[in-house]
Amino acid sequence: MISERPLRIAIVGSGPAGMYAAGHLLEGPGGTFINGGLNQIVRRPVEVDVLERLPTPWGLIRSGVAPDHPDKKRMAAIYDSIARRQGFRFIGNVQVGRDVSPADLSQWYDGVIYAVGADDERRLGITGEDLRGSDSARAFVSWYNGHPDFSDLQFDLRCERAVLVGNGNVAMDVARILFSPISALHNTDIASHALDALGKSQLKEIVILGRRGPEHAAFNYPELMELGELADTAISVEGADLSLTPENADYETQLKVAALAKLCKEKSQGSRRIVFRFNAAPTAIVGGGQVAQINVVDRRDQSEQVLNAGLVLAAIGYRGLAIDGLPFDDVRGVIPSCDSRIVDNGIAIAGAYVTGWIKRGPKGIIGSNKKCARDAVTAVMVDVDSNLLPMEGTLSAAQVLEAINARVSVTLGFSGWQKIDRQEQSDGRAQGRPRLKMTATGAMLGLVTAG
């Protein structure tokens, strides 16, 4: 049985969570959602608009995954196939909360799924955090990946020591990129401005601070082992005895600590050094306008040390940003929800859903978003079947695009992104690289609108 009226859903954000949600909604033939009941299968036609504030889709696949991890970037092929399904439409260069409001979307669509990710970071909360040379690892990652919001940043790498505060996988990525050979990075899609800056780097040492012991380190085993592949790089540990790992630690923890101990033994020599410093916390960043030092306290005996450093990057976690017109949990940095339905003071907002990091916080791998998106789509369909969505008076696909274009001077569809994609790959081939990323929104929109 096929329901006649197309269900029209907006998805805000085109990263993994948003694209998986679109895929679940359009998983049936001919752009339909398949709902299996006890006695029959109902195929419901669905139209999905994915709204993205940038001209480019795929979220962290493009702007967060390290450029030397092309295997993870290949996930974009899955999202590309979803975007080609009947019923899918990409609308780029539209920011919800600035160009259109959540109230607008609620009036225009039968339901809205917010998949906006985590576009903010947690701060250290110490003196000197705002000095030049002090920034977030998130900003640094976005900078070397060519995100338009960060491409104008300047990172002076002509210093001998960088300090990373936090020892999760983002810190591992940053340390690896900082010490990777330029020849190797040239074979990736790293932004050209980052490649130039890294080519002038004078870094000799990277200190990675962790507030607790190695048994609590946040990095995963594969990311740690990649540091061991860096040539001419010594690895050492300070502030902890790796032989004292608690016997009741789980297998993964024991594996990581043992691997770190092995790396310290096998990688004891090199002209450059990565130092894992545990039980250490920063107390202040010092400098006359520019980072010169960072004060660190040993949390075991409260002794203090001053480290000379020209770059300090905080890698202590991402967090979501509030959207004007939607409730927000400022403590957790997420949009509050219950069973994927957005709630305001405990009451569900009809037709409003959430998925991905903005729902559950910045945790999990890319694939974790698939089930999370499925949960959101299931909630949508349960509410459709229960007649809980305000479906009267919503707009057609043409009417929505007309309303958006009345507010945004230039929008682009999926064909516009494909034009950018082709240009980047063509420019990359000319330089012997897989892709030469465009990093300015104006240039991307200019390319799309050119005859």
Side-chain angles (χ1 to χ4, degrees):
M1 184 173 71
I2 301 179
S3 175
E4 294 287 338
R5 182 206 189 280
L7 180 69
R8 289 196 35 77
I9 301 294
I11 298 175
V12 183
S14 64
M19 292 307 299
Y20 281 130
H24 291 318
L25 285 165
L26 301 172
E27 62 189 353
T32 56
F33 175 86
I34 301 176
N35 183 21
L38 293 177
N39 301 314
Q40 61 184 347
I41 293 179
V42 177
R43 290 201 297 118
R44 182 183 301 278
V46 182
E47 295 176 350
V48 175
D49 284 350
V50 173
L51 279 62
E52 170 59 53
R53 72 180 186 88
L54 297 175
T56 57
W58 315 148
L60 286 181
I61 294 294
R62 179 177 170 93
S63 63
V65 171
D68 60 346
H69 282 172
D71 53 326
K72 294 182 181 179
K73 290 180 178 287
R74 293 191 186 101
M75 293 292 296
I78 296 174
Y79 309 141
D80 184 87
S81 67
I82 292 172
R84 297 173 187 274
R85 294 180 186 176
Q86 183 176 335
F88 181 96
R89 180 169 66 173
F90 175 76
I91 308 177
N93 197 41
V94 178
Q95 183 170 338
V96 175
R98 181 193 65 189
D99 303 318
V100 299
S101 69
D104 292 328
L105 298 183
S106 294
Q107 292 176 359
W108 298 347
Y109 293 92
D110 300 326
V112 185
I113 301 174
Y114 292 88
V116 294
D119 281 340
D120 200 4
E121 64 274 332
R122 300 189 182 279
R123 292 177 59 82
L124 296 172
I126 60 176
T127 303
E129 185 173 13
D130 295 321
L131 287 173
R132 189 170 61 252
S134 170
D135 214 319
S136 68
R138 169 182 165 268
F140 189 76
V141 168
S142 298
W143 170 77
Y144 68 56
N145 272 317
H147 191 295
D149 292 351
F150 300 88
S151 58
D152 290 336
L153 294 181
Q154 301 291 323
F155 290 97
D156 189 351
L157 306 179
R158 294 172 298 177
C159 56
E160 292 195 359
R161 179 185 285 135
V163 176
L164 307 182
V165 183
N167 57 18
N169 289 337
V170 172
M172 300 300 103
D173 282 348
V174 170
R176 190 181 66 256
I177 294 299
L178 284 172
F179 273 177
S180 288
I182 294 302
S183 58
L185 291 177
H186 185 272
N187 296 323
T188 73
D189 67 353
I190 191 170
S192 296
H193 57 251
L195 193 64
D196 292 342
L198 288 163
K200 301 171 184 175
S201 172
Q202 297 176 18
L203 285 173
K204 298 295 183 184
E205 182 175 278
I206 299 171
V207 178
I208 302 175
L209 300 181
R211 292 179 58 86
R212 298 188 290 176
E215 68 274 17
H216 299 291
F219 56 75
N220 290 336
Y221 175 80
E223 283 71 18
L224 171 66
M225 297 308 294
E226 284 184 299
L227 293 185
E229 298 172 7
L230 294 171
D232 195 27
T233 303
I235 297 176
S236 62
V237 164
E238 296 178 359
D241 185 343
L242 297 182
S243 67
L244 299 179
T245 304
E247 294 182 0
N248 61 350
D250 59 35
Y251 173 76
E252 183 178 359
T253 298
Q254 294 184 38
L255 179 67
K256 292 193 301 183
V257 175
L260 183 54
K262 184 178 180 181
L263 285 178
C264 290
K265 182 177 180 179
E266 296 178 349
K267 302 277 292 184
S268 61
Q269 301 295 321
S271 65
R272 303 176 303 182
R273 191 163 76 123
I274 295 176
V275 181
F276 285 86
R277 183 160 182 181
F278 295 102
N279 295 300
T283 57
I285 300 172
V286 181
Q290 166 73 36
V291 171
Q293 298 174 331
I294 180 169
N295 298 342
V296 178
V297 62
D298 188 314
R299 299 183 72 232
R300 297 169 302 175
D301 59 14
Q302 301 305 305
S303 61
E304 294 188 3
Q305 182 181 6
V306 177
L307 296 177
N308 293 328
L311 178 67
V312 175
L313 298 175
I316 57 174
Y318 290 27
R319 58 177 277 123
L321 279 175
I323 298 176
D324 190 24
L326 289 177
F328 189 71
D329 183 338
D330 194 55
V331 174
R332 297 180 57 219
V334 299
I335 294 175
S337 65
C338 180
D339 296 330
S340 299
R341 298 170 179 86
I342 296 177
V343 296
D344 189 5
N345 292 320
I347 300 175
I349 301 175
Y353 308 86
V354 66
T355 186
W357 279 7
I358 195 62
K359 170 189 173 182
R360 65 184 193 275
K363 56 187 177 182
I365 60 176
I366 293 171
S368 303
N369 292 293
K370 191 168 187 179
K371 179 185 182 303
C372 192
R374 166 68 74 180
D375 291 342
V377 169
T378 297
V380 171
M381 290 305 171
V382 166
D383 290 352
V384 170
D385 292 341
S386 301
N387 295 316
L388 295 177
L389 296 190
M391 299 175 63
E392 294 297 326
T394 55
L395 303 185
S396 67
Q399 290 172 322
V400 165
L401 193 57
E402 181 180 357
I404 291 175
N405 285 334
R407 305 183 186 193
V408 182
S409 57
V410 179
T411 60
L412 72 163
F414 194 69
S415 61
W417 151 242
Q418 291 175 312
K419 189 172 184 180
I420 295 170
D421 186 33
R422 289 192 298 269
Q423 186 66 53
E424 289 184 342
Q425 294 189 53
S426 175
D427 292 344
R429 284 192 296 271
Q431 295 190 18
R433 301 185 60 195
R435 176 185 300 272
L436 200 64
K437 282 184 176 178
M438 301 182 72
T439 62
T441 296
M444 287 186 268
L445 296 179
L447 173 67
V448 172
T449 56

